[in-house]
Amino acid sequence: MTVRVRIAPSPTGNLHIGTARTAVFNWLFARHHGGQFILRVEDTDTERSRSEFTDNITEGLQWLGITWDEGPFFQSQRLDLYRQAIQTLLDNGLAYRAYDTPAELDAMRTEQKAKNLAPRYDNRHRDLTEDQQRAFEAEGRQAVIRFKIDDDRVIQWHDLVRGPMTWKGSDLGGDMVVARASSVEQIGQPLYNLAVVVDDMDMAITHVIRGEDHIANTAKQILLYEALGGAVPEFAHTPLILNRAGQKLSKRDGVTSISDFRKMGFTAEALANYMTLLGWSAPDGAEVFTLAEAAQQFSFDRVNKAGAKFDWDKLDWLNSQYLHATPADTLVDLLVPYWQEAGYTFDLARDRPWLTRLTALLAPSLTRLTDAVEQGRFFFTPTVTYADKATQQLTQDGVGDLLQAAADAIAAGAPLDSLEAGKALVDTVVKAQGVKKGVMMKSMRAALMGDMQGPDLMESWLILHQRGFDTQRLADAIAIARQSSSPVPLPHEARPSS
Ligand code: GLU
């Protein structure tokens, strides 16, 4: 048997982390078994489905590296198939038209509530005579088509995650609607449970892997497989993703869509890796792996029944692992869109080597790609704003002269194309000015970076120098130093006697 699985998102919103994680598990299972993974867009809800959501979903899956072998198929293009199946159910007496008005259904539910009964359809139109039907049609009522569910049926399956499952027909809410707004002449809008079974049969799906919120649907769908003469596939219901408080992760928790995670600076590899760990663990205990590596080891034996808590710290940790392991030459391409988005000016074609050098400098301190926006900001502007601590450093006695000496050396063409050259320049100035090297370095940091902390000074200087920004900043810093009305004495080293 060739394994055939599918992801069947509804394009009623952006690609949700829950759907993406389900897609990951389907993909891992398909790849583990050398099977096929199919993408099917469940867009039968015409009011809520939008093509921009379809685009967001397909782009999100592609970005994550979840490639599909067939599709995307669109349910909206397959309505005839569903209507044929419904007609078969009607012809075989397994479904019927029910003409209840919304008001009648409401009254029924109110009565059930008053009696403390669970809400259900009481199957009152199951056995209408032709005359009754005609009378309802003559009244202009629109029917829904209901599939018969016998209360005394017991539905069982062996879930690949949850083990043996049993549902009673009486717990499924009465005969279920499979198509809306129908008349004797025409079958209206087919609904999810029917369409999904027709498609899973037609696409020869062997394993239905989806979130545990679909368990009750599975019981209903098994009845539909039987009614339509299809082979019942295997089912695996994956655990929900929970927030810190242990509730289902929802929009209220902030980001939930893959495009949001991307905007927040997570890499596709880290996010896909993290989603794999949301409910599954590798037999060898590994936590950092590619999807292809996970696929080799994937099985449902190691998927938890309990909900999977979403752990931002873990995701951040994984993301930093990926960022630190990515060569600067590749990482730069991931950072450029964030720098562009932030409005930083550079010419990608011309400045790529410079951007790569900057990337190498920042990489060790990045957790998310977005961190490079703040940490990189001051490399993209000729000038910098001076923090109080930097100003304090600049206004110490003698710093103006010190910086002037450095500026003169640069103006005289002292090379600044390597760390060695930079160090040589510093040594020369330190010697000539008779100051401690630490003072020189602190003053240069204040002058060039406007702050007393930050990335490696020499490397930062070389990067700024390549765009000529060091000269401008030295000039600004010297002006600050010279303006100072009450200079603080600089701790001079004993001047050389000669
Ligand atoms: N369209 C359904 C959803 O997005 C698909 C469920 C299924 O996989 O059958 O939840």
Side-chain angles (χ1 to χ4, degrees):
M1 175 192 69
T2 306
V3 163
R4 286 174 62 82
V5 296
R6 85 301 191 275
I7 185 75
S10 304
T12 52
N14 286 336
L15 178 60
H16 185 273
I17 179 95
T19 310
R21 198 276 311 260
T22 305
V24 168
F25 281 17
N26 272 281
W27 188 96
L28 294 173
F29 188 72
R31 293 294 171 261
H32 182 83
H33 291 282
Q36 277 120 33
F37 174 63
I38 293 152
L39 172 59
R40 182 171 77 223
V41 179
E42 302 209 324
D43 58 348
T44 48
D45 183 344
T46 44
E47 270 164 36
R48 293 171 59 224
S49 297
R50 300 224 196 311
S51 64
E52 63 261 32
F53 293 140
T54 302
D55 293 343
N56 181 280
I57 291 166
T58 51
E59 282 162 20
L61 292 173
Q62 267 161 344
W63 178 69
L64 288 166
I66 306 172
T67 45
W68 53 91
D69 307 302
E70 291 175 30
F73 299 107
F74 291 88
Q75 284 194 327
S76 56
Q77 293 166 9
R78 298 164 58 83
L79 295 175
D80 284 349
L81 209 63
Y82 313 135
R83 292 202 171 107
Q84 275 165 28
I86 293 169
Q87 192 58 54
T88 306
L89 295 176
L90 288 167
D91 293 347
N92 294 340
L94 300 171
Y96 61 91
R97 291 183 175 80
Y99 292 87
D100 313 270
T101 62
E104 287 166 351
L105 292 173
D106 277 352
M108 185 181 75
R109 290 210 175 109
T110 311
E111 207 182 310
Q112 287 164 346
K113 223 176 178 182
K115 290 185 191 155
N116 250 341
L117 297 170
R120 70 192 311 267
Y121 181 62
D122 61 7
N123 304 345
R124 59 178 66 174
H125 284 187
R126 206 189 242 210
D127 298 305
L128 293 181
T129 62
E130 273 189 29
D131 281 351
Q132 285 172 313
Q133 264 196 45
R134 244 176 273 134
F136 281 138
E137 299 256 338
E139 267 180 47
R141 290 194 186 202
Q142 275 204 321
V144 296
I145 297 178
R146 288 188 181 267
F147 171 66
K148 294 180 184 171
I149 295 181
D150 287 333
D151 280 351
D152 49 13
R153 255 306 300 263
V154 175
I155 304 126
Q156 292 181 308
W157 75 94
H158 187 90
D159 196 280
L160 293 175
V161 176
R162 310 177 71 83
M165 302 288 291
T166 302
W167 274 77
K168 285 191 261 169
S170 53
D171 287 340
L172 293 178
D175 292 344
M176 106 170 123
V177 179
V178 289
R180 283 217 183 91
S182 306
S183 63
V184 169
E185 292 83 37
Q186 220 192 335
I187 294 168
Q189 181 76 29
L191 295 188
Y192 161 72
N193 275 308
L194 182 282
V196 82
V197 170
V198 171
D199 280 340
D200 285 342
M201 281 169 59
D202 187 58
M203 295 174 187
I205 298 302
T206 57
H207 296 76
V208 171
I209 302 163
R210 60 185 169 201
E212 69 173 35
D213 43 336
H214 282 288
I215 289 179
N217 285 328
T218 296
K220 294 175 185 175
Q221 289 171 20
I222 288 174
L223 296 177
L224 280 167
Y225 279 102
E226 289 173 7
L228 294 168
V232 181
E234 301 259 16
F235 291 95
H237 289 96
T238 55
L240 295 180
I241 304 176
L242 307 175
N243 64 15
R244 267 188 226 276
Q247 297 145 342
K248 187 177 168 181
L249 191 76
S250 73
K251 287 214 174 100
R252 284 189 301 275
D253 296 301
V255 273
T256 46
S257 72
I258 295 303
S259 41
D260 287 340
F261 281 98
R262 185 176 182 175
K263 275 194 212 115
M264 287 175 77
F266 294 105
T267 66
E269 291 80 4
L271 192 55
N273 187 156
Y274 182 63
M275 285 193 288
T276 305
L277 293 172
L278 277 175
W280 180 75
S281 57
D284 64 4
E287 292 205 302
V288 185
F289 38 62
T290 63
L291 282 180
E293 286 160 358
Q296 285 173 10
Q297 306 195 62
F298 187 81
S299 76
F300 280 104
D301 305 346
R302 298 190 65 84
V303 174
N304 291 330
K305 275 191 223 137
K309 266 209 183 150
F310 196 91
D311 181 346
W312 286 97
D313 294 339
K314 182 85 172 251
L315 175 58
D316 272 334
W317 174 79
L318 264 175
N319 206 59
S320 65
Q321 297 296 304
Y322 278 90
L323 295 189
H324 300 166
T326 307
D329 199 31
T330 308
L331 187 56
V332 65
D333 294 325
L334 300 182
L335 294 180
V336 158
Y338 293 88
W339 284 329
Q340 280 169 333
E341 171 84 24
Y344 297 169
T345 12
F346 54 89
D347 174 347
L348 185 55
R350 184 197 64 199
D351 296 334
R352 200 173 187 285
W354 179 82
L355 292 162
T356 307
R357 189 154 190 177
L358 175 59
T359 299
L361 174 70
L362 301 180
S365 54
L366 299 181
T367 299
R368 301 183 187 175
L369 294 165
T370 40
D371 295 340
V373 172
E374 270 318 305
Q375 293 181 24
R377 183 180 298 279
F378 84 109
F379 287 96
F380 290 91
T381 51
T383 58
V384 73
T385 43
Y386 291 93
D388 288 347
K389 278 189 180 156
T391 311
Q392 276 166 25
Q393 177 64 27
L394 294 177
T395 51
Q396 291 201 22
D397 189 21
V399 169
D401 292 345
L402 192 55
L403 297 178
Q404 189 61 57
D408 290 347
I410 297 169
L416 263 177
D417 50 2
S418 68
L419 286 177
E420 289 67 36
K423 280 177 192 147
L425 193 155
V426 169
D427 287 345
T428 312
V429 174
V430 163
K431 233 185 209 156
Q433 296 293 307
V435 293
K436 285 188 175 160
K437 192 171 175 186
V439 173
M440 168 76 179
M441 296 307 270
K442 271 192 194 165
S443 305
M444 284 307 293
R445 183 176 282 281
L448 295 176
M449 297 157 99
D451 210 337
M452 299 316 289
Q453 300 134 14
D456 181 79
L457 175 63
M458 268 328 297
E459 184 61 22
S460 302
W461 186 358
L462 299 186
I463 289 170
L464 290 167
H465 181 72
Q466 281 184 18
R467 293 189 74 180
F469 294 168
D470 55 342
T471 318
Q472 176 66 50
R473 290 180 191 194
L474 278 170
D476 292 349
I478 291 163
I480 292 174
R482 300 250 190 265
Q483 265 168 28
S484 145
S485 49
S486 56
V488 189
L490 184 72
H492 273 269
E493 251 185 359
R495 297 227 174 224
S497 48
S498 60

